[in-house]
Amino acid sequence: MSTILHLETELKSCGIDKDTAEKISHSTVDNLRKDYGGEHIYFPKGKELDAILKHHEIYKRWNGHNQVELSKEFNMTVPAIYRILKKAHQKEVDERQNQLAF
């Protein structure tokens, strides 16, 4: 039942009306039950994904001068923020360079 509620809440937060969110969540859980009923399913905590999303958010919000503010907001050291920015910038440059390859 909690899975249905989680899905409904998420769908409604995306702007889907209550009735449609309810139908989608019930259908999804029913399909999962049919496909995986009786099996053990492991959901990782997602620490690596959380870190990637956090780093992306830091890079997205960086304006070239707000490293200290970002470090306070994300509870990180300024050098850690610089490392994240450097990696993200290098990844962006690498992706652009790949687009230029013939």
Side-chain angles (χ1 to χ4, degrees):
M1 190 61 148
S2 67
T3 305
I4 291 172
L5 294 175
H6 283 294
L7 285 169
E8 281 183 34
T9 302
E10 192 65 32
L11 290 166
K12 287 189 280 187
S13 75
C14 293
I16 295 175
D17 66 272
K18 185 181 187 311
D19 290 337
T20 304
E22 187 176 296
K23 287 176 187 174
I24 292 170
S25 60
H26 281 262
S27 173
T28 301
V29 169
D30 193 42
N31 287 329
L32 289 170
R33 176 189 60 82
K34 289 175 186 173
D35 291 344
Y36 303 104
E39 294 183 29
H40 292 278
I41 299 175
Y42 171 74
F43 290 99
K45 293 190 183 243
K47 291 179 183 178
E48 186 175 323
L49 177 60
D50 289 343
I52 290 168
L53 294 173
K54 181 179 183 179
H55 294 179
H56 177 72
E57 184 65 22
I58 289 168
Y59 188 64
K60 186 172 80 172
R61 293 176 52 192
W62 181 56
N63 65 17
H65 307 286
N66 61 339
Q67 300 84 295
V68 173
E69 292 84 7
L70 289 171
S71 72
K72 290 177 184 175
E73 184 174 342
F74 288 93
N75 196 29
M76 300 175 80
T77 64
V78 174
I81 296 291
Y82 277 120
R83 284 191 300 275
I84 290 166
L85 295 172
K86 181 179 179 181
K87 267 185 165 176
H89 178 71
Q90 187 60 53
K91 183 177 179 184
E92 189 176 278
V93 168
D94 291 346
E95 287 172 1
R96 280 195 223 142
Q97 292 297 320
N98 284 336
Q99 292 173 357
L100 296 175
F102 292 64

